């Protein structure tokens, strides 16, 4: 058995994948970023603010999770203080200015603004904090982009069902209305939801994100259903009451790129099934010309539900009116992208029964020879995947400018972050090629993240920042890394540095060296 296992692993390494001929996102070129292309940096409230119970803020589902489950976070940390941006927002705005960035994307904490979760009690200190931050940005001529929901539901709303309670559509709309009332005259970009799939699939269907409910097969679909209605409701409210502000509103969806594991028709089909049942789960209802959940997902969940003796599909149905109400409710397509996977069709049941994973029935792996030394094990460096994804979205959801609201690389810290410099160079090269050669409809790019922060279950181990944060220092001192300098140069010159080489992945070399070095490891295991 052992022998078979290792021979299979070895065959996997040797075989690689059928389709991905190059990692590079394009050859060396003189391409420049278009004049009106915007550059930004992103953060999120839980990850940077700290002050988790100060000035009237109530606990979010993340506060609750990490306080009650001490082993949830890799280094046992919490977001109680994080980068202390609640007190250091002036320095944050200054850093954005130093970078020469046009837009700063940050999120507003629902339990800081509405400690009961409801509008019966609007926290003036919470409003003041965001007002001050926005004013500080405007003082530097930086455009604020606000994410209304970046995963931090008030625990009090979770206690009554959270995103599985259909009344949350109203609760969320009321919350968004408070933000529009106070800030819509100053904020020109709004993101209703950051990575809703993480909230629903991992938070309600799984245990990887708060509230870690693990009611797979049911709760992820309920959550998504309510969340999409909430998104559409807020879009219509915005267009009806705040249109004169000229603001733009969209959603930020997370998507990996997918390549077929082998060149068989089945594995090529797996790619389409994967993309349409993951990104498409959220994108199809809002951005496709026909609206509604993707037909593949409807059929798959329906068939599995029948087989499992449910009286109706576990995927709730939208009425015709709801489909029309949700379709087209965005001004831009926000995309968070980091990495690529290889897909194949499962030849037996996968995942828990019932679950979205089981319903969809594909298997996802990564090629261990892809470069990476990242502290986030999933973060393999495949710039060509980014380019292909941008093309895919442009073709599949025409008419919406894509704003890349997140892209970045994690390491274990250090100012001389050559791997991150290389990652950004490669991904920006892929982006330039997507724009100039493939005519992808991309109008902006945001680096994740402005500074090191609380990386959810990875705590402070995984560092994504352009600025290093010294979490041990009392002032949470922020210092620019090499990658910050690269980003500033790219923004100023609108192009990649002269010496950039699209085929040089040596910054990740110790990791690349790791894949061949697995051969002796395999032999060792065989012999012992
Ligand atoms: C996506 C999330 O939006 C962000 O909060 C997270 O830190 C990054 N990806 C990196 O994992």
């Amino acid at each position: 058995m052992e022998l078979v296992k290792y021979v299979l692993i070895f065959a996997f390494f040797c075989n690689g994948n059928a389709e991905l001929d190059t990692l590079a996102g394009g050859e060396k070129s003189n391409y420049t970023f278009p004049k009106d292309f915007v550059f930004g940096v992103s953060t999120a409230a839980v990850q940077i603010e700290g002050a988790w119970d100060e000035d009237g803020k109530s606990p979010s589902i993340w506060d609750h999770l990490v306080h009650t489950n001490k082993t949830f976070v890799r280094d046992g940390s919490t977001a109680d203080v994080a980068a202390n941006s609640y007190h250091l927002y002036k320095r944050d705005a200054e850093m954005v200015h130093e970078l020469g960035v046009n837009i700063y994307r940050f999120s507003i904490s629902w339990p800081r603004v509405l400690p009961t979760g409801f509008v019966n009690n609007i926290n003036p200190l919470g409003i003041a904090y965001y007002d001050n931050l926005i004013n500080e940005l405007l003082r530097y001529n930086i455009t604020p982009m606000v994410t209304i929901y970046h995963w931090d539901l008030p625990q009090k709303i979770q206690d009554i069902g959270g995103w599985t309670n259909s009344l949350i559509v109203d609760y969320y709309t009321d919350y968004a209305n408070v933000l529009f009332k106070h800030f819509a005259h100053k904020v020109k970009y709004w993101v209703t939801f950051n990575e809703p799939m993480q909230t629903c699939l991992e938070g309600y269907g799984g245990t990887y994100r708060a509230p870690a409910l693990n009611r797979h097969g049911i709760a992820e679909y309920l959550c998504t259903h309510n969340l999409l209605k909430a998104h559409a409701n807020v879009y219509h409210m915005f267009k009806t009451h705040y249109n004169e502000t000229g603001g733009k509103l969209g959603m930020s969806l997370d998507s990996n790129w997918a390549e077929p594991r082998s060149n068989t028709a089945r594995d090529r089909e797996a790619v389409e099934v994967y993309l349409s049942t993951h990104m498409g789960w959220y994108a199809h209802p809002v951005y496709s010309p026909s609206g509604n959940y993707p037909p593949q997902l409807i059929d798959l969940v329906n068939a599995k539900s029948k087989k499992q003796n449910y009286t109706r599909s576990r995927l709730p149905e939208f009425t015709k009116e709801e489909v029309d109400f949700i379709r087209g409710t965005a001004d831009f397509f926000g995309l968070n992208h980091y990495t690529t996977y290889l897909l194949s069709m499962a030849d037996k049941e996968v995942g828990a029964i019932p679950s979205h994973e089981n319903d969809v029935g594909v298997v996802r792996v990564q090629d261990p020879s892809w470069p990476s030394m990242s502290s986030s094990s999933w973060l393999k460096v495949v710039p060509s995947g980014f380019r292909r994804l941008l093309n895919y979205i442009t073709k599949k959801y025409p008419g919406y400018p894509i704003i890349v609201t997140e892209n970045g690389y994690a390491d274990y810290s250090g100012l001389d972050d050559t791997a991150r410099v290389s990652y950004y160079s490669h991904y920006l090269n892929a982006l330039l090629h997507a724009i100039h050669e493939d005519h992808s409809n991309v109008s902006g790019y945001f680096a994740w993240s402005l500074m090191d922060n609380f990386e959810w279950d990875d705590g402070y181990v995984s560092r994504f920042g352009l600025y290093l944060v010294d979490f041990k220092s009392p002032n949470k001192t922020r210092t620019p890394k090499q990658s910050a300098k690269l980003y500033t140069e790219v923004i100023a010159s609108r192009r990649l540095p002269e010496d950039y080489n699209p085929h040089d992945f040596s910054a990740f070399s110790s990791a690349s060296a790791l894949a061949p070095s697995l051969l002796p490891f395999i032999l060792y295991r065989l012999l012992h």
Side-chain angles (χ1 to χ4, degrees), residues 8 23 43-44 85 154-155 164 175 179 199 227 229 265 312 417 451 501:
L8 284 177
L23 290 171
T43 61
S85 287
Q155 179 61 34
T164 63
Y175 160 56
L179 302 192
T199 294
L227 188 150
K229 286 186 190 176
R312 60 186 71 82
D417 56 340
M451 68 192 120
N501 172 359

Side-chain angles (χ1 to χ4, degrees), residues 114 116-122 171 174-175 178:
L114 303 179
T116 63
F118 298 95
V119 291
N120 65 316
N121 175 11
I122 302 174
Y171 309 161
D174 288 351
Y175 160 56
V178 168

Side-chain angles (χ1 to χ4, degrees), residues 248 287 330-334 397-404 441-444:
K248 306 242 176 281
Y287 295 101
D331 300 314
F332 59 87
F333 190 116
Y397 309 111
Y400 295 95
I402 303 168
I403 301 181
V404 179
N441 188 7
V442 194
S443 62

Side-chain angles (χ1 to χ4, degrees), residues 501-519:
N501 172 359
H503 295 285
D504 181 359
F505 286 82
S506 58
F508 313 97
S509 59
S510 33
S512 323
L514 215 91
S517 75
L518 282 169
L519 181 57

Side-chain angles (χ1 to χ4, degrees), residues 44 47 150-151 194-195 336 338 378 406 448 453 455-456 464:
Q47 299 182 267
H150 198 128
W151 307 356
N194 176 71
E195 302 195 352
N336 292 359
Y338 289 86
W378 49 269
E406 281 184 33
W448 180 272
N453 56 51
E455 177 53 20
W456 311 107
F464 274 94

Side-chain angles (χ1 to χ4, degrees), residues 223-253:
C223 166
T224 301
H225 209 65
N226 294 328
L227 188 150
L228 285 169
K229 286 186 190 176
H231 161 83
N233 220 28
V234 164
Y235 175 86
H236 289 296
M237 176 177 70
F238 188 73
K239 293 293 162 183
T240 310
H241 299 292
Y242 300 93
N243 208 25
E244 78 286 352
T245 64
K248 306 242 176 281
L249 185 143
M251 242 199 287
S252 287
L253 304 184

Side-chain angles (χ1 to χ4, degrees), residues 59-103:
S60 73
I61 51 175
W62 275 91
D63 296 319
H64 181 80
L65 176 64
V66 304
H67 289 164
T68 52
N69 182 346
K70 303 280 181 205
T71 56
F72 182 81
V73 181
R74 189 165 166 187
D75 55 0
S77 62
T78 68
D80 291 2
V81 183
N84 201 16
S85 287
Y86 187 67
H87 296 289
L88 298 172
Y89 69 89
K90 287 195 177 162
R91 172 69 182 127
D92 295 352
E94 182 185 53
M95 283 146 52
V96 182
H97 172 69
E98 280 168 11
L99 284 169
V101 156
N102 320 111
I103 308 196

